[in-house]
Amino acid sequence: MTSPFPPDDLDRRLVIATQAGLPLVPRPYDLLAEQLGTSADEVKRRLAAMLETGRIRRIGAVPNHYAIGYTANGMSVWQIDPAVIDAVGERVGGLQSVTHCYRRPDHPPAWPYNLFAMVHGKSRAEVEAEVGRIATLIQAEFPGALGARDILFSTRILKKTGLRLGE
Amino acid sequence: MSARPAPAALDELDRRIINALQGGFPISDEPYREVAESLGTTEAELLARLERLLAAKVLTRFGPMFQIERLGGRFVLAAQAVPEDRFAEVTELVNALPEVAHNYRREHRLNMWFVLATETPDGIADATRRIEAATGLPVFAFPKLREFFVDMRLKA
């Protein structure tokens, strides 16, 4: 993991300048360079370096999944034998229907689940069927590894802003 | 508090733009022109449609997606079991914290799920304590122990 960057660093100013979005102008990196008092080549070099090191996952669009028709958003949660959880996570994370997959701590007895996989679909029934297929797949490929499971559907977005670094 | 938007009316070019732009965007002098050419449209048309898709909230963002842990920050998923008769009040208390980046109501005894995002690792414990103090309800933290390979793209 890279250490936090020092304040006033150009990378940090570049994060702050682009966290709301990339400018919608024909030469966006030139505009950023002008705003930051540097050259477009330097802006491009820094962005490429941040992509290379994984500090930027990608430059692109984030669709609102409701707006593009994925109205059912189920957080599937799984109680998986810790001995095989990483292999199960890789398998489930690689499925087309899964957009995020994480190993997280359980909180027994209230919360026995240690693997989380977000499944998006065009209806609740579609998500339930897909989660059923994932369960069958885990049972077939990792016999005895799956305990309890559940799906938590979201019923309302209460807030969605994303992280904002201080200006 | 925002309700979920209805699925938007998108034409075929909108869908191709959304699908294409979920991949890598060029780091070049005229990146919009490059993308427009690959989609068989013009730079002006692509920029106009991006503005419209963002204004209509079909796209929540367009730009670099930062991996905040690699910038020194932290993202932690957390949940609370909120009594129904306190749900609106607790939503206001939780959402008031700038560290709360997303918050969703979900169907479970743990019915409020939010993401805490802070610039430093210490900020998470502090935000958790403030939420517990403000709401009088325990916060269950679910820090990610491992992220598995995922493809976050959704086909429009």
Short mmCIF file of all heavy atoms in Angstrom, two decimals, chain B residues 46-101:
data_model
loop_
_atom_site.label_atom_id
_atom_site.label_comp_id
_atom_site.label_asym_id
_atom_site.label_seq_id
_atom_site.Cartn_x
_atom_site.Cartn_y
_atom_site.Cartn_z
N LEU B 46 -20.89 13.51 -28.40
CA LEU B 46 -20.52 12.73 -27.20
C LEU B 46 -20.53 13.63 -25.97
O LEU B 46 -21.09 13.25 -24.92
CB LEU B 46 -19.13 12.11 -27.39
CG LEU B 46 -18.54 11.40 -26.17
CD1 LEU B 46 -19.42 10.22 -25.74
CD2 LEU B 46 -17.12 10.92 -26.45
N LEU B 47 -19.94 14.83 -26.06
CA LEU B 47 -19.91 15.72 -24.90
C LEU B 47 -21.32 16.15 -24.51
O LEU B 47 -21.65 16.20 -23.32
CB LEU B 47 -19.04 16.96 -25.22
CG LEU B 47 -17.52 16.69 -25.22
CD1 LEU B 47 -16.76 17.86 -25.83
CD2 LEU B 47 -17.03 16.43 -23.80
N ALA B 48 -22.17 16.43 -25.49
CA ALA B 48 -23.55 16.83 -25.19
C ALA B 48 -24.30 15.70 -24.50
O ALA B 48 -25.05 15.92 -23.54
CB ALA B 48 -24.27 17.25 -26.48
N ARG B 49 -24.10 14.47 -24.99
CA ARG B 49 -24.80 13.34 -24.37
C ARG B 49 -24.29 13.04 -22.97
O ARG B 49 -25.07 12.71 -22.07
CB ARG B 49 -24.67 12.11 -25.24
CG ARG B 49 -25.54 12.25 -26.49
CD ARG B 49 -25.70 10.93 -27.17
NE ARG B 49 -26.53 11.10 -28.35
CZ ARG B 49 -27.59 10.36 -28.61
NH1 ARG B 49 -27.97 9.42 -27.77
NH2 ARG B 49 -28.29 10.57 -29.70
N LEU B 50 -22.97 13.18 -22.77
CA LEU B 50 -22.43 12.97 -21.42
C LEU B 50 -23.02 13.99 -20.46
O LEU B 50 -23.39 13.64 -19.34
CB LEU B 50 -20.90 13.09 -21.44
CG LEU B 50 -20.14 11.82 -21.78
CD1 LEU B 50 -18.66 12.11 -21.88
CD2 LEU B 50 -20.40 10.75 -20.71
N GLU B 51 -23.10 15.24 -20.89
CA GLU B 51 -23.69 16.27 -20.03
C GLU B 51 -25.13 15.92 -19.67
O GLU B 51 -25.55 16.04 -18.53
CB GLU B 51 -23.66 17.64 -20.73
CG GLU B 51 -22.48 18.46 -20.26
CD GLU B 51 -22.37 19.78 -21.01
OE1 GLU B 51 -23.42 20.39 -21.30
OE2 GLU B 51 -21.22 20.17 -21.31
N ARG B 52 -25.87 15.43 -20.67
CA ARG B 52 -27.27 15.10 -20.44
C ARG B 52 -27.40 13.88 -19.52
O ARG B 52 -28.21 13.87 -18.59
CB ARG B 52 -27.95 14.82 -21.79
CG ARG B 52 -29.44 14.64 -21.70
CD ARG B 52 -30.14 14.69 -23.06
NE ARG B 52 -29.58 13.79 -24.06
CZ ARG B 52 -29.70 12.47 -24.03
NH1 ARG B 52 -30.33 11.89 -23.05
NH2 ARG B 52 -29.17 11.73 -24.99
N LEU B 53 -26.57 12.85 -19.75
CA LEU B 53 -26.65 11.64 -18.92
C LEU B 53 -26.28 11.94 -17.47
O LEU B 53 -26.85 11.37 -16.54
CB LEU B 53 -25.74 10.55 -19.49
CG LEU B 53 -26.19 9.97 -20.85
CD1 LEU B 53 -25.09 9.09 -21.46
CD2 LEU B 53 -27.49 9.15 -20.70
N LEU B 54 -25.33 12.86 -17.27
CA LEU B 54 -24.96 13.24 -15.90
C LEU B 54 -26.06 14.08 -15.27
O LEU B 54 -26.43 13.87 -14.11
CB LEU B 54 -23.63 14.01 -15.91
CG LEU B 54 -22.38 13.15 -16.12
CD1 LEU B 54 -21.19 13.99 -16.56
CD2 LEU B 54 -22.02 12.37 -14.85
N ALA B 55 -26.63 15.01 -16.03
CA ALA B 55 -27.70 15.86 -15.48
C ALA B 55 -28.92 15.03 -15.12
O ALA B 55 -29.59 15.29 -14.13
CB ALA B 55 -28.07 16.95 -16.50
N ALA B 56 -29.20 14.00 -15.92
CA ALA B 56 -30.37 13.14 -15.66
C ALA B 56 -30.05 12.06 -14.62
O ALA B 56 -30.89 11.23 -14.31
CB ALA B 56 -30.83 12.49 -16.97
N LYS B 57 -28.82 12.07 -14.12
CA LYS B 57 -28.36 11.11 -13.11
C LYS B 57 -28.39 9.66 -13.60
O LYS B 57 -28.48 8.72 -12.81
CB LYS B 57 -29.13 11.26 -11.80
CG LYS B 57 -29.00 12.65 -11.19
CD LYS B 57 -29.44 12.66 -9.74
CE LYS B 57 -29.56 14.06 -9.16
NZ LYS B 57 -28.46 14.96 -9.47
N VAL B 58 -28.33 9.49 -14.93
CA VAL B 58 -28.14 8.13 -15.48
C VAL B 58 -26.70 7.71 -15.17
O VAL B 58 -26.43 6.55 -14.86
CB VAL B 58 -28.41 8.10 -16.99
CG1 VAL B 58 -28.04 6.75 -17.59
CG2 VAL B 58 -29.87 8.43 -17.26
N LEU B 59 -25.79 8.67 -15.26
CA LEU B 59 -24.42 8.46 -14.79
C LEU B 59 -24.27 9.21 -13.47
O LEU B 59 -24.67 10.37 -13.38
CB LEU B 59 -23.40 9.00 -15.80
CG LEU B 59 -23.40 8.32 -17.17
CD1 LEU B 59 -22.36 8.97 -18.08
CD2 LEU B 59 -23.13 6.83 -17.05
N THR B 60 -23.71 8.55 -12.46
CA THR B 60 -23.51 9.26 -11.20
C THR B 60 -22.19 10.03 -11.25
O THR B 60 -22.02 10.99 -10.52
CB THR B 60 -23.51 8.32 -9.98
OG1 THR B 60 -22.49 7.34 -10.16
CG2 THR B 60 -24.84 7.62 -9.84
N ARG B 61 -21.28 9.62 -12.12
CA ARG B 61 -19.98 10.25 -12.20
C ARG B 61 -19.35 9.94 -13.52
O ARG B 61 -19.61 8.89 -14.10
CB ARG B 61 -19.06 9.63 -11.15
CG ARG B 61 -18.78 10.48 -9.99
CD ARG B 61 -17.72 9.90 -9.10
NE ARG B 61 -16.58 10.78 -9.19
CZ ARG B 61 -15.44 10.46 -9.72
NH1 ARG B 61 -15.23 9.26 -10.21
NH2 ARG B 61 -14.47 11.32 -9.77
N PHE B 62 -18.45 10.83 -13.96
CA PHE B 62 -17.58 10.49 -15.05
C PHE B 62 -16.20 11.05 -14.75
O PHE B 62 -16.04 12.27 -14.59
CB PHE B 62 -18.08 11.04 -16.40
CG PHE B 62 -17.09 10.79 -17.49
CD1 PHE B 62 -16.91 9.51 -17.96
CD2 PHE B 62 -16.30 11.81 -17.96
CE1 PHE B 62 -15.93 9.25 -18.92
CE2 PHE B 62 -15.32 11.55 -18.92
CZ PHE B 62 -15.14 10.27 -19.39
N GLY B 63 -15.21 10.19 -14.64
CA GLY B 63 -13.86 10.67 -14.32
C GLY B 63 -13.04 9.56 -13.70
O GLY B 63 -13.43 8.40 -13.76
N PRO B 64 -11.91 9.93 -13.08
CA PRO B 64 -11.08 8.90 -12.45
C PRO B 64 -11.79 8.31 -11.23
O PRO B 64 -12.41 9.04 -10.46
CB PRO B 64 -9.82 9.67 -12.01
CG PRO B 64 -9.89 11.01 -12.64
CD PRO B 64 -11.32 11.28 -12.96
N MET B 65 -11.73 6.98 -11.10
CA MET B 65 -12.27 6.33 -9.91
C MET B 65 -11.09 6.00 -9.01
O MET B 65 -10.26 5.16 -9.36
CB MET B 65 -12.99 5.04 -10.30
CG MET B 65 -14.18 5.34 -11.18
SD MET B 65 -14.99 3.82 -11.64
CE MET B 65 -15.28 3.11 -10.04
N PHE B 66 -11.04 6.68 -7.87
CA PHE B 66 -9.88 6.53 -7.00
C PHE B 66 -10.04 5.32 -6.08
O PHE B 66 -11.13 5.03 -5.60
CB PHE B 66 -9.66 7.80 -6.19
CG PHE B 66 -9.35 8.99 -7.06
CD1 PHE B 66 -10.33 9.92 -7.38
CD2 PHE B 66 -8.09 9.13 -7.60
CE1 PHE B 66 -10.05 10.99 -8.21
CE2 PHE B 66 -7.80 10.20 -8.43
CZ PHE B 66 -8.78 11.13 -8.75
N GLN B 67 -8.94 4.62 -5.87
CA GLN B 67 -8.89 3.49 -4.93
C GLN B 67 -8.36 4.12 -3.65
O GLN B 67 -7.17 4.37 -3.49
CB GLN B 67 -7.96 2.46 -5.56
CG GLN B 67 -7.50 1.23 -4.86
CD GLN B 67 -8.32 0.63 -3.78
OE1 GLN B 67 -8.80 1.31 -2.87
NE2 GLN B 67 -8.44 -0.66 -3.81
N ILE B 68 -9.33 4.45 -2.77
CA ILE B 68 -9.03 5.38 -1.69
C ILE B 68 -8.01 4.82 -0.69
O ILE B 68 -7.21 5.55 -0.13
CB ILE B 68 -10.35 5.86 -1.02
CG1 ILE B 68 -10.25 7.32 -0.68
CG2 ILE B 68 -10.74 5.04 0.17
CD1 ILE B 68 -10.09 8.23 -1.87
N GLU B 69 -8.02 3.50 -0.49
CA GLU B 69 -7.04 2.92 0.44
C GLU B 69 -5.62 3.17 -0.04
O GLU B 69 -4.71 3.36 0.75
CB GLU B 69 -7.24 1.42 0.61
CG GLU B 69 -8.41 1.06 1.52
CD GLU B 69 -9.72 0.94 0.79
OE1 GLU B 69 -9.75 1.27 -0.42
OE2 GLU B 69 -10.70 0.52 1.41
N ARG B 70 -5.44 3.16 -1.36
CA ARG B 70 -4.08 3.37 -1.89
C ARG B 70 -3.69 4.84 -1.84
O ARG B 70 -2.55 5.19 -2.10
CB ARG B 70 -3.99 2.84 -3.31
CG ARG B 70 -4.27 1.36 -3.33
CD ARG B 70 -3.41 0.62 -4.31
NE ARG B 70 -3.70 -0.80 -4.16
CZ ARG B 70 -3.91 -1.63 -5.16
NH1 ARG B 70 -3.82 -1.20 -6.40
NH2 ARG B 70 -4.17 -2.90 -4.94
N LEU B 71 -4.64 5.71 -1.51
CA LEU B 71 -4.32 7.12 -1.31
C LEU B 71 -4.21 7.42 0.18
O LEU B 71 -4.12 8.57 0.59
CB LEU B 71 -5.41 8.01 -1.93
CG LEU B 71 -5.55 7.93 -3.45
CD1 LEU B 71 -6.79 8.67 -3.91
CD2 LEU B 71 -4.34 8.50 -4.13
N GLY B 72 -4.27 6.37 1.01
CA GLY B 72 -4.11 6.54 2.45
C GLY B 72 -5.41 6.60 3.21
O GLY B 72 -5.42 6.59 4.44
N GLY B 73 -6.53 6.64 2.51
CA GLY B 73 -7.83 6.74 3.17
C GLY B 73 -8.43 5.37 3.46
O GLY B 73 -7.82 4.34 3.20
N ARG B 74 -9.62 5.38 4.02
CA ARG B 74 -10.30 4.13 4.34
C ARG B 74 -11.77 4.20 3.93
O ARG B 74 -12.40 5.25 4.03
CB ARG B 74 -10.28 3.87 5.86
CG ARG B 74 -8.96 3.39 6.39
CD ARG B 74 -8.68 1.94 6.01
NE ARG B 74 -7.41 1.48 6.56
CZ ARG B 74 -6.22 1.75 6.04
NH1 ARG B 74 -6.13 2.51 4.96
NH2 ARG B 74 -5.12 1.32 6.62
N PHE B 75 -12.27 3.05 3.50
CA PHE B 75 -13.70 2.86 3.24
C PHE B 75 -14.14 1.71 4.12
O PHE B 75 -13.52 0.64 4.05
CB PHE B 75 -13.92 2.40 1.79
CG PHE B 75 -14.31 3.48 0.83
CD1 PHE B 75 -13.57 3.68 -0.32
CD2 PHE B 75 -15.43 4.25 1.05
CE1 PHE B 75 -13.92 4.66 -1.24
CE2 PHE B 75 -15.80 5.23 0.13
CZ PHE B 75 -15.04 5.43 -1.00
N VAL B 76 -15.13 1.87 4.95
CA VAL B 76 -15.61 0.75 5.77
C VAL B 76 -17.13 0.68 5.71
O VAL B 76 -17.82 1.68 5.94
CB VAL B 76 -15.13 0.87 7.24
CG1 VAL B 76 -15.78 -0.20 8.11
CG2 VAL B 76 -13.61 0.72 7.32
N LEU B 77 -17.62 -0.52 5.40
CA LEU B 77 -19.06 -0.79 5.43
C LEU B 77 -19.47 -0.98 6.89
O LEU B 77 -18.76 -1.63 7.65
CB LEU B 77 -19.35 -2.05 4.62
CG LEU B 77 -20.80 -2.52 4.57
CD1 LEU B 77 -21.66 -1.52 3.78
CD2 LEU B 77 -20.88 -3.91 3.93
N ALA B 78 -20.61 -0.42 7.27
CA ALA B 78 -21.09 -0.56 8.64
C ALA B 78 -22.60 -0.65 8.63
O ALA B 78 -23.25 -0.25 7.65
CB ALA B 78 -20.64 0.63 9.49
N ALA B 79 -23.17 -1.22 9.69
CA ALA B 79 -24.62 -1.39 9.73
C ALA B 79 -25.15 -1.17 11.14
O ALA B 79 -24.42 -1.31 12.13
CB ALA B 79 -25.00 -2.78 9.25
N GLN B 80 -26.41 -0.80 11.20
CA GLN B 80 -27.10 -0.67 12.48
C GLN B 80 -28.47 -1.32 12.39
O GLN B 80 -29.08 -1.35 11.31
CB GLN B 80 -27.31 0.81 12.83
CG GLN B 80 -26.02 1.54 13.17
CD GLN B 80 -26.30 2.91 13.77
OE1 GLN B 80 -26.89 3.76 13.12
NE2 GLN B 80 -25.89 3.12 15.01
N ALA B 81 -28.96 -1.80 13.54
CA ALA B 81 -30.34 -2.28 13.65
C ALA B 81 -31.15 -1.12 14.22
O ALA B 81 -31.03 -0.80 15.40
CB ALA B 81 -30.41 -3.51 14.56
N VAL B 82 -31.93 -0.48 13.37
CA VAL B 82 -32.64 0.74 13.78
C VAL B 82 -34.11 0.41 14.01
O VAL B 82 -34.77 -0.12 13.12
CB VAL B 82 -32.53 1.83 12.69
CG1 VAL B 82 -33.24 3.10 13.12
CG2 VAL B 82 -31.06 2.11 12.36
N PRO B 83 -34.63 0.73 15.21
CA PRO B 83 -36.07 0.49 15.43
C PRO B 83 -36.89 1.29 14.42
O PRO B 83 -36.56 2.44 14.12
CB PRO B 83 -36.29 1.02 16.86
CG PRO B 83 -34.94 1.08 17.49
CD PRO B 83 -33.96 1.29 16.38
N GLU B 84 -37.97 0.67 13.89
CA GLU B 84 -38.79 1.31 12.85
C GLU B 84 -39.24 2.71 13.24
O GLU B 84 -39.20 3.63 12.43
CB GLU B 84 -40.02 0.46 12.51
CG GLU B 84 -39.76 -0.63 11.48
CD GLU B 84 -39.02 -0.15 10.22
OE1 GLU B 84 -39.38 0.91 9.67
OE2 GLU B 84 -38.06 -0.82 9.81
N ASP B 85 -39.64 2.88 14.49
CA ASP B 85 -40.19 4.18 14.89
C ASP B 85 -39.10 5.26 15.02
O ASP B 85 -39.41 6.43 15.21
CB ASP B 85 -41.02 4.06 16.18
CG ASP B 85 -40.22 3.55 17.36
OD1 ASP B 85 -39.05 3.15 17.17
OD2 ASP B 85 -40.76 3.55 18.48
N ARG B 86 -37.84 4.85 14.91
CA ARG B 86 -36.76 5.85 14.96
C ARG B 86 -36.04 5.99 13.61
O ARG B 86 -35.03 6.69 13.52
CB ARG B 86 -35.72 5.47 16.03
CG ARG B 86 -36.22 5.54 17.46
CD ARG B 86 -35.05 5.42 18.43
NE ARG B 86 -34.05 6.45 18.22
CZ ARG B 86 -32.77 6.33 18.59
NH1 ARG B 86 -32.33 5.24 19.17
NH2 ARG B 86 -31.91 7.32 18.36
N PHE B 87 -36.55 5.31 12.58
CA PHE B 87 -35.77 5.21 11.34
C PHE B 87 -35.46 6.57 10.72
O PHE B 87 -34.32 6.86 10.35
CB PHE B 87 -36.45 4.28 10.32
CG PHE B 87 -35.48 3.76 9.31
CD1 PHE B 87 -34.78 2.59 9.54
CD2 PHE B 87 -35.22 4.46 8.14
CE1 PHE B 87 -33.84 2.12 8.64
CE2 PHE B 87 -34.28 4.00 7.22
CZ PHE B 87 -33.60 2.82 7.48
N ALA B 88 -36.46 7.45 10.62
CA ALA B 88 -36.25 8.76 9.98
C ALA B 88 -35.26 9.59 10.79
O ALA B 88 -34.34 10.21 10.22
CB ALA B 88 -37.59 9.49 9.83
N GLU B 89 -35.43 9.57 12.10
CA GLU B 89 -34.55 10.35 12.99
C GLU B 89 -33.10 9.86 12.88
O GLU B 89 -32.16 10.65 12.74
CB GLU B 89 -35.07 10.19 14.44
CG GLU B 89 -34.20 10.76 15.51
CD GLU B 89 -34.16 9.88 16.77
OE1 GLU B 89 -35.06 9.00 16.94
OE2 GLU B 89 -33.23 10.06 17.56
N VAL B 90 -32.91 8.55 12.93
CA VAL B 90 -31.55 8.00 12.87
C VAL B 90 -30.93 8.24 11.49
O VAL B 90 -29.74 8.53 11.37
CB VAL B 90 -31.55 6.49 13.25
CG1 VAL B 90 -30.19 5.86 13.00
CG2 VAL B 90 -31.97 6.32 14.71
N THR B 91 -31.74 8.17 10.43
CA THR B 91 -31.23 8.47 9.08
C THR B 91 -30.64 9.88 9.05
O THR B 91 -29.54 10.09 8.54
CB THR B 91 -32.37 8.38 8.04
OG1 THR B 91 -32.88 7.06 8.05
CG2 THR B 91 -31.86 8.70 6.64
N GLU B 92 -31.35 10.83 9.64
CA GLU B 92 -30.84 12.21 9.66
C GLU B 92 -29.54 12.32 10.44
O GLU B 92 -28.60 12.99 10.01
CB GLU B 92 -31.88 13.14 10.30
CG GLU B 92 -32.68 13.91 9.28
CD GLU B 92 -33.59 14.93 9.94
OE1 GLU B 92 -33.09 15.79 10.70
OE2 GLU B 92 -34.82 14.85 9.69
N LEU B 93 -29.48 11.64 11.59
CA LEU B 93 -28.28 11.71 12.43
C LEU B 93 -27.08 11.10 11.70
O LEU B 93 -25.99 11.66 11.70
CB LEU B 93 -28.52 10.97 13.76
CG LEU B 93 -29.53 11.61 14.71
CD1 LEU B 93 -29.87 10.65 15.86
CD2 LEU B 93 -28.97 12.93 15.26
N VAL B 94 -27.31 9.95 11.06
CA VAL B 94 -26.20 9.26 10.38
C VAL B 94 -25.77 10.05 9.14
O VAL B 94 -24.58 10.30 8.92
CB VAL B 94 -26.61 7.81 10.02
CG1 VAL B 94 -25.57 7.15 9.12
CG2 VAL B 94 -26.80 6.98 11.30
N ASN B 95 -26.74 10.47 8.34
CA ASN B 95 -26.41 11.19 7.10
C ASN B 95 -25.72 12.53 7.36
O ASN B 95 -25.03 13.05 6.50
CB ASN B 95 -27.66 11.42 6.25
CG ASN B 95 -28.15 10.16 5.58
OD1 ASN B 95 -27.55 9.09 5.73
ND2 ASN B 95 -29.24 10.26 4.84
N ALA B 96 -25.93 13.08 8.56
CA ALA B 96 -25.33 14.38 8.87
C ALA B 96 -23.81 14.30 8.91
O ALA B 96 -23.14 15.31 8.74
CB ALA B 96 -25.86 14.88 10.21
N LEU B 97 -23.25 13.11 9.12
CA LEU B 97 -21.78 13.00 9.15
C LEU B 97 -21.22 13.04 7.74
O LEU B 97 -21.60 12.23 6.90
CB LEU B 97 -21.35 11.68 9.81
CG LEU B 97 -21.10 11.74 11.32
CD1 LEU B 97 -22.43 11.76 12.04
CD2 LEU B 97 -20.23 10.60 11.76
N PRO B 98 -20.28 13.96 7.48
CA PRO B 98 -19.68 13.99 6.13
C PRO B 98 -18.95 12.70 5.78
O PRO B 98 -18.79 12.39 4.61
CB PRO B 98 -18.71 15.18 6.20
CG PRO B 98 -18.54 15.50 7.64
CD PRO B 98 -19.74 14.98 8.36
N GLU B 99 -18.54 11.93 6.79
CA GLU B 99 -17.84 10.67 6.53
C GLU B 99 -18.76 9.61 5.94
O GLU B 99 -18.30 8.59 5.42
CB GLU B 99 -17.24 10.11 7.82
CG GLU B 99 -16.09 10.93 8.38
CD GLU B 99 -16.56 12.03 9.34
OE1 GLU B 99 -17.78 12.35 9.36
OE2 GLU B 99 -15.70 12.57 10.06
N VAL B 100 -20.09 9.79 6.06
CA VAL B 100 -21.03 8.81 5.51
C VAL B 100 -21.18 9.08 4.01
O VAL B 100 -21.77 10.08 3.60
CB VAL B 100 -22.38 8.85 6.24
CG1 VAL B 100 -23.40 7.92 5.58
CG2 VAL B 100 -22.19 8.48 7.71
N ALA B 101 -20.60 8.18 3.19
CA ALA B 101 -20.57 8.40 1.74
C ALA B 101 -21.81 7.85 1.06
O ALA B 101 -22.34 8.45 0.14
CB ALA B 101 -19.32 7.76 1.15
#
